[in-house]
Amino acid sequence: MQFGIFTVGDVTPDPTTGRTPTEHERIKAMVAIALKAEEVGLDVFATGEHHNPPFVPSSPTTMLGWIAARTERLILSTSTTLITTNDPVKIAEDFAMLQHLADGRVDVMLGRGNTGPVYPWFGQDIRQGIPLAIENYALLHKLWREDVVDWQGRFRTPLQGFTSTPRPLDGVPPFVWHGSIRSPEIAEQAAYYGDGFFHNNIFWNKEHTQRMVSLYRERYAHYGHGTAEQAIVGLGGQVFMRRNSQDAVREFRPYFDNAPVYGHGPSLEDFTEQTPLTVGSPQQVVEKTLAFRDYAGDYQRQLFLMDHAGLPLKTVLEQIDMLGEEVVPVLREEFAARRPAQVPDAPTHASLVARREAGAAAGAPGATA
């Protein structure tokens, strides 16, 4: 199972000091967080994509390329790449280039984002969000698997004899996660292709998460990719930790109360009861995260949001130290002990290359699908 960090890259005032970091400081902080994630033994760093204040990560592959040059093990991903407003040709090129630079330590999470105005900024209509996601990914999937592509669809000019360059490393495209919190059509899309499904359940109750993940698992099996239990699932989570749970609550409360995404709404206590947010001791984080398995089944990737709402970098790095030293080692052991033998590990470039080679040796069609 893979554990890691995802960031949305918000530039938010620290409610305890009133100070707002500059964009430069925030970008550098995101890099520092990625480096710390590798230092403490985490597996994945993922950055969001946003094109509006108060967010800064408008060019994820630029940032991930810089991080790739400064890390050795870390899998680099997004959370999410906007499949609706980015040209699939450019996504194919950018992530194949990043894949080569990072020696395969790359996958991609595709989604529609949560900012409506981004559609007209990039010449699209939000009312076509789902059809755009479906058509654009069909083209991206084809671009990574066919050397010469002819294409005609509704939302972009046709392609004739087009070759996307560079070609994917070792002939194997980056693994794709389809991220969605509310759209069954995206769960269906992930299942159809046999890709991963990432449910970022940080704002949702377990019943909603269970419905979405169960739908994906059922349809994954329907399309013949394996059993429902073998479907590739990732989950989000939010944590804030101190050795003493009362200290964690006291320190995090002003950040929660003023956060742009959920401030001035439900109380911290209500939110932690109803959603995966955990504010407390490392042991409480372990217990609540292990409980995700009860309603999502055995899954392959767990990403935590830890650097939002104006939390200072020093505090975030302390949180990552605790996550890597006290939480993730226990979670690895416990999840591994409970996972049935038939449940696969999270895909990596090496495992995908091995699967393609095994399929080619066996003469299996579509071994790189």
Side-chain angles (χ1 to χ4, degrees):
M1 186 164 172
Q2 296 172 345
F3 295 91
I5 300 290
F6 76 97
T7 177
V8 294
D10 59 312
V11 181
T12 302
D14 184 332
T16 67
T17 65
R19 185 181 185 279
T20 303
T22 66
E23 290 182 326
H24 179 75
E25 289 171 332
R26 189 67 175 97
I27 291 168
K28 291 291 189 177
M30 293 165 67
V31 173
I33 288 164
L35 300 183
K36 173 62 76 170
E38 172 154 294
E39 177 190 321
V40 303
L42 301 184
D43 305 303
V44 183
F45 173 81
T47 174
E49 177 190 346
H50 295 276
H51 299 276
N52 57 291
F55 304 98
V56 292
S58 58
S59 182
T61 53
T62 303
M63 171 173 283
L64 294 177
W66 175 251
I67 294 169
R70 303 182 65 187
T71 55
E72 297 179 356
R73 289 187 313 97
L74 203 62
I75 296 171
L76 307 172
S77 189
T78 52
S79 58
T80 63
T81 293
L82 303 182
I83 188 63
T84 46
T85 52
N86 282 300
D87 185 345
V89 171
K90 193 70 173 106
I91 295 176
E93 294 174 339
D94 284 352
F95 279 89
M97 177 66 77
L98 179 60
Q99 191 189 35
H100 281 272
L101 292 171
D103 296 322
R105 295 183 290 121
V106 172
D107 56 36
V108 59
M109 188 192 305
L110 301 175
R112 293 180 295 132
N114 58 6
T115 307
V118 73
Y119 284 82
W121 295 340
F122 289 87
Q124 300 295 349
D125 184 345
I126 191 173
R127 293 170 295 184
Q128 300 298 324
I130 293 291
L132 274 165
I134 293 170
E135 180 176 297
N136 282 355
Y137 182 60
L139 175 54
L140 176 61
H141 190 271
K142 190 179 184 75
L143 287 166
W144 273 339
R145 288 162 175 82
E146 298 182 16
D147 290 340
V148 181
V149 171
D150 296 315
W151 170 265
Q152 185 165 352
R154 292 174 54 194
F155 298 110
R156 60 154 294 134
T157 54
L159 296 174
Q160 294 182 344
F162 178 77
T163 299
S164 174
T165 60
R167 303 304 298 147
L169 178 64
D170 300 319
V172 174
F175 184 75
V176 171
W177 302 83
H178 299 260
S180 180
I181 56 175
R182 61 186 177 273
S183 301
E185 297 93 338
I186 302 305
E188 176 79 15
Q189 183 183 42
Y192 175 80
Y193 287 100
D195 295 334
F197 178 65
F198 190 91
H199 185 77
N200 190 13
N201 58 332
I202 60 175
F203 300 125
W204 294 84
N205 60 39
K206 62 185 180 182
E207 291 79 13
H208 176 82
T209 301
Q210 184 177 40
R211 285 193 296 271
M212 290 291 289
V213 173
S214 294
L215 171 63
Y216 161 68
R217 289 187 184 279
E218 291 166 6
R219 301 301 290 170
Y220 182 95
H222 168 80
Y223 288 115
H225 301 297
T227 67
E229 293 74 19
Q230 292 172 321
I232 307 299
V233 173
L235 297 178
Q238 276 177 290
V239 300
F240 187 87
M241 295 174 285
R242 288 303 181 201
R243 298 282 183 270
N244 181 289
S245 60
Q246 289 82 6
D247 291 340
V249 170
R250 182 174 60 253
E251 184 175 348
F252 188 67
R253 188 180 299 278
Y255 295 96
F256 177 90
D257 288 346
N258 293 280
V261 291
Y262 45 41
H264 315 290
S267 70
L268 175 59
E269 287 74 16
D270 287 344
F271 205 85
T272 53
E273 180 181 353
Q274 297 167 13
T275 77
L277 174 65
T278 310
V279 180
S281 67
Q283 181 58 36
Q284 287 174 304
V285 172
V286 167
E287 292 172 357
K288 191 160 185 177
T289 306
L290 286 173
F292 295 172
R293 179 180 177 274
D294 296 340
Y295 54 86
D298 291 283
Y299 61 109
Q300 283 76 19
R301 176 174 285 186
Q302 175 66 58
L303 300 184
F304 294 99
L305 176 62
M306 307 187 79
D307 71 325
H308 63 123
L311 285 163
L313 177 60
K314 178 178 180 293
T315 300
V316 175
L317 297 181
E318 291 169 352
Q319 295 288 304
I320 297 173
D321 274 328
M322 296 174 72
L323 188 71
E325 295 168 6
E326 302 182 46
V327 173
V328 166
V330 179
L331 290 176
R332 286 193 199 280
E333 183 176 345
E334 291 293 331
F335 275 118
R338 303 175 191 198
R339 187 180 65 188
Q342 70 269 22
V343 174
D345 292 331
T348 63
H349 182 73
S351 71
L352 294 174
V353 169
R355 186 175 75 178
R356 184 202 62 176
E357 292 175 349
T368 61

Tab-separated table of all heavy atoms in Angstrom, residues 162-198:
chain	number	residue	atom	x	y	z
A	162	PHE	N	-1.132	11.785	-36.320
A	162	PHE	CA	-0.406	12.514	-35.273
A	162	PHE	C	0.333	11.550	-34.349
A	162	PHE	O	-0.214	10.525	-33.925
A	162	PHE	CB	-1.374	13.359	-34.440
A	162	PHE	CG	-0.698	14.106	-33.322
A	162	PHE	CD1	0.028	15.254	-33.580
A	162	PHE	CD2	-0.773	13.639	-32.015
A	162	PHE	CE1	0.664	15.934	-32.552
A	162	PHE	CE2	-0.144	14.311	-30.973
A	162	PHE	CZ	0.581	15.464	-31.253
A	163	THR	N	1.559	11.901	-33.983
A	163	THR	CA	2.354	11.137	-33.030
A	163	THR	C	2.717	12.042	-31.865
A	163	THR	O	3.367	13.081	-32.054
A	163	THR	CB	3.633	10.588	-33.671
A	163	THR	OG1	3.290	9.704	-34.739
A	163	THR	CG2	4.477	9.834	-32.643
A	164	SER	N	2.303	11.662	-30.682
A	164	SER	CA	2.648	12.412	-29.470
A	164	SER	C	4.070	12.062	-29.056
A	164	SER	O	4.441	10.886	-29.009
A	164	SER	CB	1.670	12.041	-28.341
A	164	SER	OG	2.062	12.640	-27.125
A	165	THR	N	4.875	13.084	-28.777
A	165	THR	CA	6.257	12.845	-28.370
A	165	THR	C	6.563	13.575	-27.067
A	165	THR	O	5.992	14.649	-26.819
A	165	THR	CB	7.252	13.323	-29.443
A	165	THR	OG1	7.074	14.730	-29.648
A	165	THR	CG2	7.043	12.583	-30.746
A	166	PRO	N	7.436	13.016	-26.222
A	166	PRO	CA	8.063	11.710	-26.385
A	166	PRO	C	7.058	10.590	-26.151
A	166	PRO	O	6.012	10.810	-25.529
A	166	PRO	CB	9.149	11.706	-25.294
A	166	PRO	CG	8.574	12.576	-24.211
A	166	PRO	CD	7.828	13.661	-24.937
A	167	ARG	N	7.391	9.416	-26.652
A	167	ARG	CA	6.554	8.259	-26.367
A	167	ARG	C	6.736	7.869	-24.898
A	167	ARG	O	7.776	8.155	-24.277
A	167	ARG	CB	6.952	7.067	-27.259
A	167	ARG	CG	6.898	7.355	-28.759
A	167	ARG	CD	5.517	7.859	-29.193
A	167	ARG	NE	4.478	6.850	-28.936
A	167	ARG	CZ	3.212	7.159	-28.604
A	167	ARG	NH1	2.842	8.416	-28.440
A	167	ARG	NH2	2.350	6.192	-28.417
A	168	PRO	N	5.754	7.228	-24.285
A	168	PRO	CA	5.884	6.839	-22.875
A	168	PRO	C	7.126	5.988	-22.625
A	168	PRO	O	7.545	5.199	-23.475
A	168	PRO	CB	4.598	6.043	-22.617
A	168	PRO	CG	3.612	6.597	-23.593
A	168	PRO	CD	4.416	6.910	-24.821
A	169	LEU	N	7.719	6.172	-21.460
A	169	LEU	CA	8.927	5.452	-21.077
A	169	LEU	C	8.683	3.943	-21.124
A	169	LEU	O	7.694	3.450	-20.565
A	169	LEU	CB	9.337	5.878	-19.671
A	169	LEU	CG	10.573	5.200	-19.072
A	169	LEU	CD1	11.817	5.545	-19.865
A	169	LEU	CD2	10.720	5.596	-17.599
A	170	ASP	N	9.585	3.216	-21.778
A	170	ASP	CA	9.498	1.753	-21.890
A	170	ASP	C	8.213	1.302	-22.563
A	170	ASP	O	7.791	0.148	-22.418
A	170	ASP	CB	9.615	1.083	-20.514
A	170	ASP	CG	10.923	1.400	-19.818
A	170	ASP	OD1	11.961	1.405	-20.510
A	170	ASP	OD2	10.909	1.641	-18.593
A	171	GLY	N	7.559	2.212	-23.295
A	171	GLY	CA	6.315	1.858	-23.954
A	171	GLY	C	5.142	1.687	-23.017
A	171	GLY	O	4.100	1.148	-23.417
A	172	VAL	N	5.274	2.164	-21.770
A	172	VAL	CA	4.221	1.996	-20.760
A	172	VAL	C	3.757	3.371	-20.286
A	172	VAL	O	4.538	4.115	-19.682
A	172	VAL	CB	4.722	1.164	-19.570
A	172	VAL	CG1	3.675	1.112	-18.468
A	172	VAL	CG2	5.080	-0.244	-20.026
A	173	PRO	N	2.507	3.750	-20.521
A	173	PRO	CA	2.020	5.056	-20.073
A	173	PRO	C	1.996	5.163	-18.554
A	173	PRO	O	1.955	4.152	-17.843
A	173	PRO	CB	0.586	5.108	-20.624
A	173	PRO	CG	0.547	4.091	-21.709
A	173	PRO	CD	1.498	3.007	-21.293
A	174	PRO	N	2.006	6.387	-18.029
A	174	PRO	CA	1.802	6.562	-16.596
A	174	PRO	C	0.469	5.950	-16.164
A	174	PRO	O	-0.517	5.992	-16.910
A	174	PRO	CB	1.769	8.087	-16.423
A	174	PRO	CG	2.486	8.625	-17.627
A	174	PRO	CD	2.192	7.668	-18.736
A	175	PHE	N	0.458	5.367	-14.973
A	175	PHE	CA	-0.805	4.845	-14.458
A	175	PHE	C	-1.753	6.002	-14.193
A	175	PHE	O	-1.337	7.065	-13.720
A	175	PHE	CB	-0.580	4.049	-13.171
A	175	PHE	CG	-1.834	3.406	-12.649
A	175	PHE	CD1	-2.354	2.280	-13.266
A	175	PHE	CD2	-2.511	3.931	-11.552
A	175	PHE	CE1	-3.520	1.692	-12.808
A	175	PHE	CE2	-3.675	3.349	-11.081
A	175	PHE	CZ	-4.182	2.220	-11.709
A	176	VAL	N	-3.023	5.792	-14.483
A	176	VAL	CA	-4.036	6.842	-14.351
A	176	VAL	C	-5.003	6.513	-13.223
A	176	VAL	O	-5.548	5.408	-13.147
A	176	VAL	CB	-4.814	7.028	-15.674
A	176	VAL	CG1	-6.006	7.955	-15.475
A	176	VAL	CG2	-3.883	7.573	-16.758
A	177	TRP	N	-5.188	7.503	-12.353
A	177	TRP	CA	-6.266	7.501	-11.362
A	177	TRP	C	-7.318	8.494	-11.822
A	177	TRP	O	-6.983	9.617	-12.220
A	177	TRP	CB	-5.751	7.938	-9.997
A	177	TRP	CG	-4.649	7.124	-9.414
A	177	TRP	CD1	-3.312	7.233	-9.680
A	177	TRP	CD2	-4.789	6.088	-8.437
A	177	TRP	NE1	-2.610	6.320	-8.936
A	177	TRP	CE2	-3.483	5.610	-8.154
A	177	TRP	CE3	-5.873	5.535	-7.762
A	177	TRP	CZ2	-3.234	4.599	-7.247
A	177	TRP	CZ3	-5.642	4.523	-6.849
A	177	TRP	CH2	-4.341	4.054	-6.599
A	178	HIS	N	-8.578	8.128	-11.757
A	178	HIS	CA	-9.667	9.058	-12.038
A	178	HIS	C	-10.214	9.536	-10.703
A	178	HIS	O	-10.712	8.745	-9.896
A	178	HIS	CB	-10.766	8.379	-12.854
A	178	HIS	CG	-10.301	7.888	-14.188
A	178	HIS	ND1	-10.532	8.576	-15.367
A	178	HIS	CD2	-9.589	6.784	-14.542
A	178	HIS	CE1	-9.999	7.913	-16.371
A	178	HIS	NE2	-9.415	6.823	-15.891
A	179	GLY	N	-10.091	10.833	-10.465
A	179	GLY	CA	-10.511	11.372	-9.182
A	179	GLY	C	-11.901	11.970	-9.254
A	179	GLY	O	-12.209	12.771	-10.152
A	180	SER	N	-12.746	11.575	-8.316
A	180	SER	CA	-14.094	12.153	-8.244
A	180	SER	C	-14.641	11.965	-6.842
A	180	SER	O	-14.389	10.946	-6.190
A	180	SER	CB	-15.040	11.489	-9.250
A	180	SER	OG	-16.338	12.063	-9.163
A	181	ILE	N	-15.402	12.951	-6.385
A	181	ILE	CA	-16.063	12.814	-5.092
A	181	ILE	C	-17.579	12.669	-5.224
A	181	ILE	O	-18.240	12.302	-4.261
A	181	ILE	CB	-15.741	14.001	-4.167
A	181	ILE	CG1	-16.118	15.338	-4.821
A	181	ILE	CG2	-14.271	13.993	-3.782
A	181	ILE	CD1	-15.946	16.541	-3.919
A	182	ARG	N	-18.114	12.936	-6.409
A	182	ARG	CA	-19.576	12.941	-6.499
A	182	ARG	C	-20.146	12.443	-7.823
A	182	ARG	O	-21.370	12.385	-7.981
A	182	ARG	CB	-20.110	14.352	-6.231
A	182	ARG	CG	-19.618	15.381	-7.232
A	182	ARG	CD	-20.038	16.791	-6.870
A	182	ARG	NE	-19.497	17.764	-7.810
A	182	ARG	CZ	-18.310	18.329	-7.715
A	182	ARG	NH1	-17.531	18.016	-6.700
A	182	ARG	NH2	-17.895	19.198	-8.601
A	183	SER	N	-19.321	12.098	-8.803
A	183	SER	CA	-19.828	11.809	-10.148
A	183	SER	C	-19.724	10.323	-10.469
A	183	SER	O	-18.628	9.817	-10.739
A	183	SER	CB	-19.052	12.609	-11.200
A	183	SER	OG	-19.163	13.991	-10.950
A	184	PRO	N	-20.833	9.598	-10.489
A	184	PRO	CA	-20.780	8.173	-10.831
A	184	PRO	C	-20.254	7.925	-12.235
A	184	PRO	O	-19.692	6.866	-12.514
A	184	PRO	CB	-22.230	7.705	-10.671
A	184	PRO	CG	-23.064	8.936	-10.664
A	184	PRO	CD	-22.206	10.031	-10.137
A	185	GLU	N	-20.419	8.906	-13.135
A	185	GLU	CA	-19.908	8.720	-14.496
A	185	GLU	C	-18.390	8.560	-14.502
A	185	GLU	O	-17.835	7.855	-15.346
A	185	GLU	CB	-20.302	9.922	-15.372
A	185	GLU	CG	-21.799	10.106	-15.555
A	185	GLU	CD	-22.394	11.054	-14.531
A	185	GLU	OE1	-21.780	11.253	-13.453
A	185	GLU	OE2	-23.477	11.605	-14.793
A	186	ILE	N	-17.704	9.218	-13.567
A	186	ILE	CA	-16.246	9.116	-13.516
A	186	ILE	C	-15.832	7.777	-12.913
A	186	ILE	O	-14.849	7.159	-13.353
A	186	ILE	CB	-15.659	10.293	-12.730
A	186	ILE	CG1	-16.070	11.628	-13.378
A	186	ILE	CG2	-14.142	10.182	-12.647
A	186	ILE	CD1	-15.702	11.756	-14.853
A	187	ALA	N	-16.574	7.304	-11.922
A	187	ALA	CA	-16.319	5.954	-11.404
A	187	ALA	C	-16.505	4.927	-12.513
A	187	ALA	O	-15.726	3.965	-12.641
A	187	ALA	CB	-17.243	5.656	-10.225
A	188	GLU	N	-17.526	5.123	-13.329
A	188	GLU	CA	-17.765	4.222	-14.472
A	188	GLU	C	-16.615	4.294	-15.463
A	188	GLU	O	-16.168	3.264	-15.997
A	188	GLU	CB	-19.078	4.612	-15.151
A	188	GLU	CG	-19.420	3.824	-16.407
A	188	GLU	CD	-19.991	2.440	-16.113
A	188	GLU	OE1	-20.384	2.196	-14.951
A	188	GLU	OE2	-20.041	1.622	-17.044
A	189	GLN	N	-16.139	5.487	-15.741
A	189	GLN	CA	-15.029	5.656	-16.676
A	189	GLN	C	-13.777	4.933	-16.181
A	189	GLN	O	-13.113	4.221	-16.946
A	189	GLN	CB	-14.735	7.147	-16.853
A	189	GLN	CG	-13.640	7.448	-17.855
A	189	GLN	CD	-13.342	8.933	-17.925
A	189	GLN	OE1	-13.288	9.611	-16.910
A	189	GLN	NE2	-13.164	9.452	-19.134
A	190	ALA	N	-13.445	5.092	-14.911
A	190	ALA	CA	-12.282	4.408	-14.340
A	190	ALA	C	-12.430	2.897	-14.469
A	190	ALA	O	-11.482	2.185	-14.824
A	190	ALA	CB	-12.105	4.809	-12.878
A	191	ALA	N	-13.630	2.403	-14.190
A	191	ALA	CA	-13.872	0.961	-14.268
A	191	ALA	C	-13.765	0.455	-15.702
A	191	ALA	O	-13.190	-0.614	-15.958
A	191	ALA	CB	-15.250	0.654	-13.702
A	192	TYR	N	-14.279	1.209	-16.639
A	192	TYR	CA	-14.265	0.791	-18.042
A	192	TYR	C	-12.841	0.548	-18.531
A	192	TYR	O	-12.558	-0.457	-19.221
A	192	TYR	CB	-14.949	1.855	-18.903
A	192	TYR	CG	-14.887	1.587	-20.384
A	192	TYR	CD1	-15.766	0.688	-20.987
A	192	TYR	CD2	-13.944	2.231	-21.187
A	192	TYR	CE1	-15.698	0.431	-22.344
A	192	TYR	CE2	-13.880	1.981	-22.544
A	192	TYR	CZ	-14.759	1.087	-23.124
A	192	TYR	OH	-14.695	0.835	-24.472
A	193	TYR	N	-11.934	1.441	-18.183
A	193	TYR	CA	-10.552	1.321	-18.654
A	193	TYR	C	-9.692	0.433	-17.757
A	193	TYR	O	-8.540	0.145	-18.109
A	193	TYR	CB	-9.915	2.706	-18.759
A	193	TYR	CG	-10.432	3.525	-19.915
A	193	TYR	CD1	-11.396	4.517	-19.718
A	193	TYR	CD2	-9.973	3.316	-21.209
A	193	TYR	CE1	-11.880	5.268	-20.769
A	193	TYR	CE2	-10.451	4.061	-22.271
A	193	TYR	CZ	-11.406	5.039	-22.052
A	193	TYR	OH	-11.890	5.788	-23.106
A	194	GLY	N	-10.198	0.036	-16.614
A	194	GLY	CA	-9.380	-0.725	-15.682
A	194	GLY	C	-8.355	0.131	-14.976
A	194	GLY	O	-7.331	-0.370	-14.499
A	195	ASP	N	-8.617	1.439	-14.894
A	195	ASP	CA	-7.727	2.372	-14.221
A	195	ASP	C	-8.064	2.440	-12.731
A	195	ASP	O	-9.007	1.800	-12.260
A	195	ASP	CB	-7.869	3.767	-14.836
A	195	ASP	CG	-7.418	3.827	-16.284
A	195	ASP	OD1	-6.572	3.002	-16.683
A	195	ASP	OD2	-7.911	4.717	-17.015
A	196	GLY	N	-7.309	3.264	-12.007
A	196	GLY	CA	-7.587	3.455	-10.593
A	196	GLY	C	-8.678	4.494	-10.367
A	196	GLY	O	-8.913	5.375	-11.198
A	197	PHE	N	-9.349	4.376	-9.229
A	197	PHE	CA	-10.369	5.347	-8.842
A	197	PHE	C	-9.962	5.946	-7.501
A	197	PHE	O	-9.759	5.216	-6.522
A	197	PHE	CB	-11.743	4.677	-8.716
A	197	PHE	CG	-12.833	5.621	-8.267
A	197	PHE	CD1	-13.211	6.683	-9.070
A	197	PHE	CD2	-13.471	5.449	-7.053
A	197	PHE	CE1	-14.216	7.561	-8.668
A	197	PHE	CE2	-14.476	6.303	-6.647
A	197	PHE	CZ	-14.853	7.370	-7.452
A	198	PHE	N	-9.822	7.271	-7.469
A	198	PHE	CA	-9.432	7.970	-6.247
A	198	PHE	C	-10.615	8.781	-5.743
A	198	PHE	O	-11.096	9.688	-6.431
A	198	PHE	CB	-8.237	8.887	-6.497
A	198	PHE	CG	-7.645	9.443	-5.232
A	198	PHE	CD1	-6.609	8.772	-4.586
A	198	PHE	CD2	-8.114	10.617	-4.682
A	198	PHE	CE1	-6.062	9.269	-3.406
A	198	PHE	CE2	-7.579	11.123	-3.514
A	198	PHE	CZ	-6.545	10.451	-2.867
